[in-house]
Amino acid sequence: ALRPIENADKIEVATVLGWQVVVQKGQFKEGDFCVYIEIDSILPDKPDFEFMRERKFRVKTIKLRGQVSQGICFPISILLKATDKDLILREGDDMTELLGVRKYDPQIEWEKKETERLADIDRGRMSKFLKRYSWYRRLLFRFKKPSRVPFPSFIKKTDEDRIQLFPDYYEKWGELPFTVTEKLDGQSATYFVVRNPKAGILQPKWLFGVCSRNFQLLKQDNSSYWTIARKLNLQEKMTKYCDRWNLGLIIQGEIIGRKIQGNKYEIDEPEFFMFNAMTYRSGKTEVMDQTGQSFLCIVLDLNSVPVIDSTGRKLFPDMNAMVEYAKGYSRIAKIPREGVVMRNYTRNISFKIINPDFLLKFDV
């Protein structure tokens, strides 16, 4: 769809999926196909995207003539420049790889730098010299355990899709009740206790694990993830819970505090706010509903993310109304909240709605 912007002669607003995007007037007609680039995308350094150089090729939420714009629309012709092959295009095709677009993910970059800093890498001249030889590298690999491994396959990562990716959300879920919690802007963390398959005289009954959003962190260090584990005594508390109920336990939450995402909440020491909990038994996970999670927070003495509505919020039929609902102030600090997360536990449906005021204020 297209609609005009007041007092703007050269631009108008296009609706793509559920996104509002400012486009050049006359570039598209209603119902046209286009190539849509979502916010938090990094465009490649190519002539077609030269206009994004000052923004370091990153697509952000911006405001033009008072209109919030989230994303970029390109005509289909941009695909013809990207390949010499004949393309058969269908609505919904993913053009990420063809165009060379990648996701902006500051947490992955932070994790990489933090791992290098905490890995106690030997930067001495002798070590650098000896690393030229394969026998020395093999010895290092054998005796120096890795500090991290891939994220456990039996746990779902904490990423939530934006509601705009579900333009038919109301037709699908309009009659369902949803629990609403505040989305916090920090570091996603996962902690788990599961039964040890090698349990015995010399092996413990339960295994405790600490994970960032993308990795399991094997080595205790001073990162915020392990700091929270020690501060909250999570291994002991979670293990007692698992012993009591004879099942595994997984908790996920957000860490906020100093040196984390600019510390927008102005908290000196890292704090953990749980937003998800699952039991684990016989290779299967079962998600706790909000009542179960609230009870678990009491048992383990943990903070929960702020609950905005636990009574069963119904969805609005208009996408703009859903975005307006996400606006408001955080219950932790006097700043616009990042947004909300909505969950229906019966159908295992969840999505996030990001507050554009938060994106504009913090230029993220």
Side-chain angles (χ1 to χ4, degrees), residues 55-324:
R55 298 177 185 173
K56 298 182 180 179
F57 298 98
R58 178 185 164 196
V59 182
K60 297 182 179 181
T61 297
I62 60 174
K63 184 178 282 191
L64 297 168
R65 293 293 182 92
Q67 170 63 46
V68 173
S69 180
Q70 295 191 290
I72 302 178
C73 291
F74 290 103
I76 296 293
S77 59
I78 197 171
L79 300 176
L80 304 179
K81 299 178 183 179
T83 181
D84 56 0
K85 298 179 181 179
D86 293 332
L87 293 176
I88 300 175
L89 299 174
R90 295 176 299 273
E91 183 178 6
D93 283 351
D94 188 347
M95 297 290 104
T96 305
E97 185 175 346
L98 179 65
L99 292 175
V101 176
R102 58 188 176 87
K103 182 180 179 180
Y104 171 73
D105 194 334
Q107 185 160 345
I108 287 181
E109 292 300 317
W110 182 90
E111 287 178 8
K112 181 180 177 181
K113 293 179 181 178
E114 188 72 357
T115 300
E116 291 175 351
R117 184 181 72 83
L118 297 172
D120 195 23
I121 297 173
D122 184 359
R123 301 183 183 276
R125 292 182 180 180
M126 180 59 71
S127 178
K128 288 183 178 180
F129 175 78
L130 291 174
K131 283 179 181 177
R132 299 177 182 179
Y133 301 99
S134 59
W135 62 267
Y136 182 73
R137 294 195 299 270
R138 286 196 296 270
L139 282 175
L140 284 178
F141 180 79
R142 182 175 180 180
F143 293 106
K144 189 171 184 179
K145 295 181 179 180
S147 60
R148 66 181 188 180
V149 294
F151 195 86
S153 59
F154 62 91
I155 304 175
K156 182 181 177 182
K157 286 190 178 183
T158 58
D159 287 334
E160 298 284 354
D161 288 327
R162 291 182 170 97
I163 190 175
Q164 287 88 346
L165 299 182
F166 308 102
D168 56 350
Y169 72 92
Y170 192 75
E171 288 74 14
K172 287 183 176 180
W173 311 321
E175 297 302 316
L176 299 178
F178 284 82
T179 297
V180 186
T181 58
E182 180 179 340
K183 186 179 186 312
L184 301 180
D185 184 35
Q187 293 174 335
S188 297
T190 298
Y191 301 93
F192 66 85
V193 171
V194 295
R195 190 175 294 279
N196 185 357
K198 299 180 180 179
I201 297 177
L202 300 178
Q203 293 288 338
K205 179 179 177 181
W206 302 99
L207 296 176
F208 175 66
V210 175
C211 304
S212 66
R213 198 180 73 193
N214 299 292
F215 300 98
Q216 181 179 347
L217 309 178
L218 303 179
K219 182 179 179 181
Q220 287 205 39
D221 52 37
N222 293 323
S223 67
S224 57
Y225 307 101
W226 275 103
T227 298
I228 288 294
R230 290 189 294 267
K231 176 181 177 180
L232 301 180
N233 198 18
L234 289 180
Q235 182 172 1
E236 180 179 345
K237 291 179 180 178
M238 293 175 68
T239 300
K240 285 183 178 179
Y241 182 93
C242 294
D243 262 332
R244 169 68 176 82
W245 298 103
N246 195 32
L247 45 70
L249 179 65
I250 302 162
I251 63 173
Q252 297 178 311
E254 204 78 4
I255 301 174
I256 60 176
R258 189 165 56 90
K259 295 184 178 181
I260 298 175
Q261 303 286 35
N263 193 15
K264 302 176 183 68
Y265 304 94
E266 298 183 353
I267 295 175
D268 291 334
E269 297 299 323
E271 292 190 20
F272 177 78
F273 294 83
M274 192 181 82
F275 57 67
N276 197 24
M278 296 166 280
T279 57
Y280 183 78
R281 178 162 32 196
S282 301
K284 295 182 180 180
T285 57
E286 184 174 344
V287 178
M288 293 185 183
D289 62 15
Q290 190 58 54
T291 301
Q293 291 187 41
S294 297
F295 177 75
L296 183 66
C297 282
I298 294 173
V299 172
L300 300 183
D301 192 21
L302 301 178
N303 291 322
S304 168
V305 293
V307 178
I308 296 171
D309 195 331
S310 62
T311 61
R313 163 64 62 177
K314 294 294 184 68
L315 304 178
F316 299 109
D318 181 66
M319 183 70 76
N320 290 332
M322 295 302 302
V323 174
E324 284 296 318

